[in-house]
Amino acid sequence: MRSRPDLSFAFDSASVGSSPVTAEVRSGTQTLHLLGYRLYHVLTSCSVLAAGLVRFGRIMAAFRVQDQPMLTSTESVRKDEEFEDEPYRSLEMVQKEIVIVNKRKVGLLEKLESYEAELQRRRAESARLREKYKNYIKVPQVDINYEEPGSQERGDLIQGWFTISQKPSMCIKGGQVLITFDEEKVASRIQKTSEFHVPCECGTLTAKPQKINLPVVAYEVQLDIPKRDLQLSNVISSMEDERIKDRLTISFSRPSKGGGEVENVVYDRNTGNGLITFLHPGVALSLAQAGIFQVDLEAEKMVEVAPAFQYRLQRFQTFCGFPRRTVLMSGIKDLDEEDILKESLEVFFQKPSNSGGEIAHIRYISKKKSLHAFFSCDDVAVVDNTSGI
């Protein structure tokens, strides 16, 4: 295929000389060449642009494939940062808890110090009351010889334990009234009030509750009674001691008089007392019930007989108590008519509006008199066991 001949060359060969027409043709040819050159560059740029778009599309596709792993990596980094910050946050929480615990510790130590101070105060008060109500007993000096007790069968001894306690009592002075309620809670309410103003025919009376302290003493008596021993008294004779022992043995060995076989006889001329020990138990107790026994000395004589016993005092204790249902009122103005004042007090303290209740007993003492009041042991509450032996 033949190429198109160059126009500019054709025109140049055909033209002779220069003319305006020839110049115009040359100008158009140059313009065409310039347009062709620019078009070539435009086409080249379009192909380059198309190739670039293809490459850009492939790169974007690759980015879309790698997008999810990149996001996962970002979350992993964020979690790693949170994990690194976690110890610092935990340390701050622990420090805050330590501060709170220290504050609680300080508060508890302050409470402990206050409780220890209160305990020391109450112990001092208890020691003071113990010294105040302690009973001192002067025991005479006695020489005691400790001997090994003789062997004695268990069935030959009667033992008894008895508890003896002092009945609680107090002295009521003039101008005081003692009121016993049916319920303990009423007496407790009355004690918590400092004073009462009781209306009366002659005016208003002032009654002030007072605390009642009742010292009580109690001890235990252990009594041992041998079944084979019989105590004698008023055995007086001019005979020798051995003869008196023989006469006593003969007299208490006669079954006709209720006696029995005698194992041993002890006699003291200075006191006129003696002790008969029978061989079998039961004889001494039956003779002791009669109280007297006839013996043959210089002549027949009646002697006194009684069970032989030994006793010991132990567990000596002193207590301090208060009546549960009884209240003592003092500072009451004295009146000529005790019955009127008693009725006024009874009416006032029976009303629940005055912190009162049902009254079981009331006793008023005028200022010219005094009274010793005794309380039942069941109605007295023990506050402190001050001593024990």
Side-chain angles (χ1 to χ4, degrees):
M1 187 176 182
R2 297 177 64 182
S3 60
R4 180 177 294 181
D6 192 356
L7 293 178
S8 60
F9 179 78
F11 279 108
D12 289 338
S13 2
S15 61
V16 178
S18 63
S19 64
V21 176
T22 302
E24 184 176 359
V25 171
R26 288 180 180 178
S27 178
T29 302
Q30 292 177 357
T31 302
L32 289 174
H33 277 284
L34 181 61
L35 290 174
Y37 183 78
R38 291 182 178 178
L39 179 61
Y40 173 78
H41 281 284
V42 169
L43 293 176
T44 303
S45 300
C46 289
S47 62
V48 173
L49 180 61
L53 289 174
V54 172
R55 293 184 62 189
F56 179 77
R58 292 176 181 177
I59 293 173
M60 291 301 297
F63 282 163
R64 280 196 296 270
V65 173
Q66 296 178 358
D67 184 45
Q68 184 65 30
M70 290 176 66
L71 292 176
T72 306
S73 177
T74 303
E75 293 180 356
S76 177
V77 171
R78 181 175 56 83
K79 290 183 179 180
D80 291 341
E81 292 177 353
E82 293 179 355
F83 181 77
E84 291 177 357
D85 294 339
E86 183 67 24
Y88 297 101
R89 289 198 295 269
S90 301
L91 180 60
E92 292 178 356
M93 294 177 62
V94 171
Q95 290 177 349
K96 291 180 180 179
E97 292 180 359
I98 291 174
V99 172
I100 295 173
V101 171
N102 288 334
K103 290 182 179 179
R104 292 182 58 188
K105 179 181 178 182
V106 172
L108 292 175
L109 289 175
E110 292 177 355
K111 288 185 178 180
L112 179 61
E113 291 178 357
S114 62
Y115 291 155
E116 288 179 350
E118 180 68 15
L119 178 61
Q120 294 297 330
R121 187 187 66 80
R122 295 198 177 187
R123 283 180 176 175
E125 181 69 14
S126 176
R128 186 184 65 81
L129 293 175
R130 187 181 295 110
E131 291 296 327
K132 181 178 180 181
Y133 294 103
K134 183 179 291 186
N135 294 335
Y136 295 93
I137 300 176
K138 187 176 181 181
V139 180
Q141 186 176 359
V142 180
D143 295 333
I144 301 176
N145 296 324
Y146 294 94
E147 297 179 357
E148 183 179 358
S151 61
Q152 191 173 25
E153 296 181 3
R154 183 177 299 179
D156 292 345
L157 187 65
I158 299 175
Q159 291 182 329
W161 289 268
F162 306 92
T163 301
I164 301 175
S165 60
Q166 175 190 2
K167 198 169 186 180
S169 63
M170 65 171 297
C171 182
I172 306 175
K173 301 177 181 179
Q176 294 180 335
V177 61
L178 205 62
I179 305 176
T180 301
F181 296 94
D182 287 342
E183 298 180 353
E184 296 181 15
K185 60 181 181 181
V186 179
S188 179
R189 288 200 305 264
I190 296 293
Q191 290 284 0
K192 294 179 181 178
T193 307
S194 58
E195 63 180 14
F196 294 91
H197 300 284
V198 183
C200 188
E201 294 182 359
C202 61
T204 302
L205 301 176
T206 301
K208 298 179 180 180
Q210 282 190 346
K211 188 176 180 180
I212 302 176
N213 292 321
L214 301 175
V216 182
V217 178
Y219 56 92
E220 187 178 280
V221 178
Q222 182 178 350
L223 187 64
D224 298 335
I225 303 176
K227 293 182 180 180
R228 300 188 299 122
D229 293 347
L230 183 66
Q231 183 72 37
L232 307 180
S233 60
N234 197 24
V235 182
I236 301 175
S237 177
S238 59
M239 294 187 298
E240 297 180 356
D241 293 350
E242 294 299 326
R243 291 193 60 188
I244 293 176
K245 291 181 181 180
D246 292 340
R247 292 297 181 94
L248 292 174
T249 301
I250 294 171
S251 299
F252 283 99
S253 298
R254 294 176 180 177
S256 59
K257 294 183 177 181
E261 186 175 353
V262 176
E263 181 180 358
N264 187 32
V265 177
V266 177
Y267 174 69
D268 186 1
R269 178 180 294 273
N270 297 326
T271 60
N273 299 329
L275 181 67
I276 305 294
T277 302
F278 294 94
L279 185 62
H280 301 288
V283 180
L285 295 179
S286 62
L287 293 177
Q289 292 179 356
I292 56 175
F293 189 84
Q294 183 178 355
V295 296
D296 297 329
L297 297 175
E298 294 93 345
E300 294 184 351
K301 185 177 180 180
M302 304 299 293
V303 297
E304 297 178 2
V305 293
F309 61 88
Q310 297 177 351
Y311 66 90
R312 293 189 299 273
L313 301 180
Q314 56 187 9
R315 295 184 181 179
F316 184 84
Q317 296 175 330
T318 59
F319 301 89
C320 183
F322 67 94
R324 293 186 177 94
R325 301 183 296 115
T326 304
V327 178
L328 177 66
M329 300 283 184
S330 62
I332 300 175
K333 183 179 179 181
D334 198 6
L335 296 178
D336 295 335
E337 296 294 337
E338 294 184 6
D339 295 337
I340 297 176
L341 192 147
K342 179 181 176 181
E343 292 177 359
S344 300
L345 292 171
E346 188 171 4
V347 170
F348 180 84
F349 286 106
Q350 276 187 345
K351 296 180 179 179
S353 59
N354 298 326
S355 302
E358 190 68 24
I359 295 177
H361 182 75
I362 183 171
R363 184 61 186 271
Y364 170 72
I365 306 298
S366 61
K367 291 186 177 180
K368 300 178 182 179
K369 301 178 182 179
S370 63
L371 182 67
H372 207 77
F374 292 87
F375 297 86
S376 173
C377 293
D378 297 335
D379 191 39
V380 176
V382 176
V383 176
D384 184 21
N385 182 1
T386 56
S387 65
I389 299 177

